[in-house]
């Protein structure tokens, strides 16, 4: 195994022309089989956000207490004070924090529509049994609808980039449906092509179809492809399957030959040791859930440049300590993920706050985790994990315009009229998704004044309800 075949910083920069998005033909319309849902994406225009508290998350640019962000044709043109932007639509940012959209690094969007079937206090109706029982019956249309719904909820919470961790790809048509949903949803993201729920552990994923999809996606600035692997630690496979080192080598080698990054859940013990001994760790690997790891694991991960994604809301309820202080101290980069919105809230603000709280609880503040670092983890660090840092994650002129405006004037945020105090503290400790006023992805204004600009969310809900009813019937669930 070579470790130099995938470098998050250079590969994507070399293969992607910034600004090509506007010229990219839509495969969704070319394929023409997507069920109608919502409306077309709004056009990219020219606008300038004026008078916001701008957090660029770019160390060279810093923050502006009162600043402007000028956007044209999907790109950030300039960030500064009192920018001249003749002809640009003005968006009033007064009383708001303007920052890059949140970057989620692990989210099972296919499960979103199952939320109404969940029952937290009934063991038969919690996340794993529900998603497994109904997941076996998904049609491509169910996958499409679920991903669309999840992406809409992501936007409403200020997430502009997501890692769609699709571990129920039941056929090539299901993969196509999820990809189409991502394109129609308008977010930036990676589609992590996974196995089908319930498939035999000694059977490999559909490697030929992954190669087909890789070719089809090509160099798209909005969408990239990776794979999500079944668990390798044996004792945590559960309903999601578990493979041995030989199968991991087979599947991962195929992915690596295509230049595709890999992601893997590791909530049990032993996975990292096994991967290290098998020579499978690498820069192209993202692990999820840093629980039950040890010092030898951290050293191996740091040495091989492996990233970790932490899902604070779900992990706080799992067995084992959340070990981000240890792994970050060892030099492993950590980003933040939503995981699912069937059993957890769709809330990047709560994710950051939970990490701050757990860190204080576990280390008494000995491990320094500032509110600014937490916002970095939720933006630029996530972009780096997914290989998107050349185009998103900071408000840097030349990058694509993925940004949000967070209202800081509501009673739960603002201590004094017009004074938001420390903006990072406000985002981590006080703000919530309902404060997200405006959401822009690749220069398209997808949310404005807390509402979708073009999407028919009611239709997504109605479609989802139809799918859930059919799935329950097929699975014989009341
Ligand atoms: Zn997960």
């Amino acid at each position: 195994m070579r470790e130099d075949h995938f470098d998050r910083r250079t590969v994507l920069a070399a293969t992607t022309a910034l600004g090509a998005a506007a010229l990219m033909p839509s495969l969704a319309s070319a394929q023409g089989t997507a069920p109608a849902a919502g409306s077309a994406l709004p056009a990219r225009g020219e606008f300038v956000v004026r008078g916001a508290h701008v957090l660029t998350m770019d160390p060279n640019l810093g923050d502006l207490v009162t600043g402007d962000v000028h956007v044209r044709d999907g790109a950030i043109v300039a960030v500064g004070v009192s920018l001249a932007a003749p002809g640009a639509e003005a968006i009033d940012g007064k009383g708001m924090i303007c920052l890059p959209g949140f970057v989620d690094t692990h989210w099972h969007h296919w499960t979103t529509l199952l939320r109404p079937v969940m029952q937290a206090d009934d063991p038969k109706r919690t996340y794993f049994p529900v998603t497994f029982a109904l997941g076996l019956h998904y049609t491509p249309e169910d996958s499409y609808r679920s991903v669309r719904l999840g992406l809409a909820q992501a936007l409403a919470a200020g997430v502009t980039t997501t890692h769609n961790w699709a571990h129920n790809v039941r056929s090539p048509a299901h993969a196509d449906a999820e990809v189409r949903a991502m394109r129609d949803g308008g977010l930036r993201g990676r589609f992590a092509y996974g196995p089908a729920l319930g498939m035999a552990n000694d059977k490999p994923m559909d490697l030929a179809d992954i190669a087909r999809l890789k070719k089809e996606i090509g160099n798209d600035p909005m969408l990239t492809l990776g794979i999500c692997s079944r668990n390798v630690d044996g004792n945590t496979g559960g309903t999601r399957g578990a493979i041995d080192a030989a199968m991991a080598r087979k599947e991962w080698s195929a992915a690596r030959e295509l230049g595709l990054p890999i992601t893997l859940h590791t909530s049990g013990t032993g996975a990292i040791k096994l991967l290290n001994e098998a020579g499978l760790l690498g820069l192209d690997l993202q692990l999820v859930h840093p629980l039950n790891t040890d010092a030898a694991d951290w050293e191996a991960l740091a040495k091989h440049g492996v990233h970790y994604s932490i899902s604070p809301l779900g992990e706080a309820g799992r067995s084992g300590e959340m070990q981000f202080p240890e792994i970050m101290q060892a030099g492993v980069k950590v980003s933040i993920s939503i995981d699912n919105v069937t059993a957890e809230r769709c809330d990047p603000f709560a994710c950051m706050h939970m990490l701050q709280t757990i860190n204080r609880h576990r280390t008494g503040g000995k491990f320094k985790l500032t509110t600014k670092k937490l916002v970095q983890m939720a933006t630029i660090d996530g972009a780096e994990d997914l290989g998107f840092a050349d185009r998103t994650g900071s408000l840097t002129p030349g990058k694509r315009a993925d940004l949000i405006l967070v209202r800081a004037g509501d009673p739960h945020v603002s201590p004094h009229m017009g004074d938001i105090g420390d903006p990072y503290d406000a985002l981590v400790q006080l703000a919530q998704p309902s404060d997200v006023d405006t959401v822009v992805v690749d220069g398209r204004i997808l949310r404005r004044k807390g509402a979708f600009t073009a999407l028919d969310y009611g239709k997504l809900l109605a479609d989802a309800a139809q799918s859930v009813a059919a799935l329950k019937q097929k699975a014989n669930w009341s």
Side-chain angles (χ1 to χ4, degrees):
M1 198 234 16
R2 283 169 32 236
E3 287 179 19
D4 59 349
H5 60 285
F6 178 92
D7 185 314
R8 290 176 170 86
R9 293 168 299 281
T10 57
V11 170
L12 289 159
T15 55
T16 301
L18 288 176
L23 307 173
M24 196 67 61
S26 165
L27 281 176
S29 56
Q31 288 165 355
T33 52
S39 311
L41 294 172
R44 298 177 183 87
E46 180 176 3
F47 60 89
V48 58
V49 175
R50 292 218 180 266
H53 195 132
V54 180
L55 310 180
T56 68
M57 308 317 291
D58 180 331
N60 297 318
L61 298 176
D63 303 337
L64 301 169
V65 175
T66 306
D68 303 346
V69 181
H70 183 193
V71 171
R72 187 170 54 224
D73 297 332
I76 298 171
V77 178
V79 178
V81 178
S82 303
L83 293 174
E89 177 199 353
I91 292 179
D92 187 4
K94 201 167 156 230
M96 299 200 223
I97 302 169
C98 179
L99 73 157
F102 293 117
V103 178
D104 151 77
T105 56
H106 146 252
W107 189 333
H108 309 291
H109 286 284
W110 73 266
T111 65
T112 306
L113 59 74
L114 300 179
R115 186 184 289 163
V117 192
M118 302 282 166
Q119 219 297 312
D121 299 315
D122 178 350
K124 292 190 194 122
R125 293 270 178 155
T126 53
Y127 180 72
F128 286 102
V130 167
T131 53
F132 185 71
L134 275 64
L136 294 174
H137 299 281
Y138 264 51
T139 64
E141 190 162 322
D142 297 329
S143 299
Y144 177 88
R145 289 169 168 177
S146 198
V147 175
R148 284 301 307 270
L149 192 62
L151 296 178
Q153 294 175 3
L155 284 177
V159 175
T160 55
T161 298
T162 189
H163 186 191
N164 181 13
W165 227 97
H167 54 359
N168 189 25
V169 178
R170 309 201 63 74
S171 74
H174 288 77
D176 287 342
E178 294 217 15
V179 163
R180 216 159 43 231
M182 291 179 76
R183 287 194 156 122
D184 292 355
L187 280 79
R188 200 176 302 281
R190 182 196 293 174
F191 175 65
Y193 196 126
L197 276 186
M199 69 182 276
N201 289 334
D202 60 358
K203 189 181 162 200
M205 298 165 61
D206 191 344
L207 302 172
D209 194 56
I210 292 168
R212 176 209 47 101
L213 193 56
K214 157 82 177 158
K215 211 166 153 188
E216 193 170 303
I217 288 177
N219 290 328
D220 184 338
M222 296 297 292
L223 179 71
T224 60
L225 182 67
I227 68 158
C228 57
S229 174
R230 283 167 285 181
N231 289 10
V232 299
D233 48 12
N235 53 6
T236 57
T239 56
R240 305 288 190 234
I243 55 176
D244 59 17
M247 181 59 79
R249 181 172 290 109
K250 182 184 173 76
E251 293 183 340
W252 295 23
S253 298
R256 283 172 164 155
E257 270 170 36
L258 294 167
L260 301 180
I262 299 157
T263 181
L264 172 77
H265 287 137
T266 62
S267 50
T269 56
I272 297 163
K273 186 166 185 283
L274 180 148
L275 294 172
N276 194 25
E277 286 171 0
L280 289 172
L281 297 177
L283 277 171
D284 56 358
L285 177 62
Q286 178 212 56
L287 302 180
V288 181
H289 302 318
L291 305 162
N292 301 303
T293 58
D294 61 28
D297 293 339
W298 311 330
E299 193 187 328
L301 297 180
K303 185 178 153 199
H304 291 280
V306 177
H307 284 214
Y308 239 122
S309 175
I310 188 163
S311 312
L313 302 182
E315 280 171 35
R318 290 193 180 200
S319 61
E321 298 282 14
M322 291 166 68
Q323 297 173 305
F324 57 96
E326 292 86 350
I327 64 170
M328 288 171 79
Q329 265 172 326
V332 178
K333 294 191 173 171
V334 177
S335 59
I336 296 175
S337 54
I338 298 289
D339 194 337
N340 70 80
V341 294
T342 45
E344 307 296 343
R345 70 188 65 218
C346 181
D347 190 342
F349 304 96
C351 288
M352 294 189 290
H353 195 195
M354 179 66 85
L355 285 183
Q356 182 194 46
T357 304
I358 297 281
N359 183 51
R360 287 173 173 168
H361 177 70
R362 288 206 50 224
T363 75
K366 283 185 197 135
F367 176 66
K368 198 175 166 203
L369 189 61
T370 63
T371 52
K372 182 172 184 177
K373 176 61 184 171
L374 285 159
V375 176
Q376 282 172 359
M377 289 168 71
T379 55
I380 187 66
D381 292 356
E384 193 191 323
D385 181 338
L386 297 182
F388 282 132
D390 62 336
R391 73 202 77 168
T392 191
S394 67
L395 303 183
T396 305
K399 281 195 181 183
R400 304 303 292 171
D402 297 351
L403 62 86
I404 59 174
L405 288 173
V406 179
R407 242 185 359 264
D410 286 6
H412 61 279
V413 181
S414 183
H416 309 295
M417 286 291 287
D419 181 2
I420 59 171
D422 184 298
Y424 295 101
D425 288 6
L427 291 171
V428 171
Q429 300 178 158
L430 306 173
Q432 55 197 32
S434 61
D435 298 322
V436 177
D437 178 272
T438 299
V439 181
V440 177
V441 188
D442 210 56
R444 301 182 195 274
I445 301 174
L446 300 183
R447 299 261 303 170
R448 186 83 182 95
K449 297 185 191 302
F452 291 108
T453 53
L455 178 73
D456 183 348
Y457 186 65
K459 169 140 181 59
L460 293 195
L461 286 177
D463 287 349
Q466 210 177 60
S467 277
V468 171
L471 287 165
K472 281 167 75 174
Q473 198 174 36
K474 284 182 209 164
N476 261 333
W477 277 41
S478 54

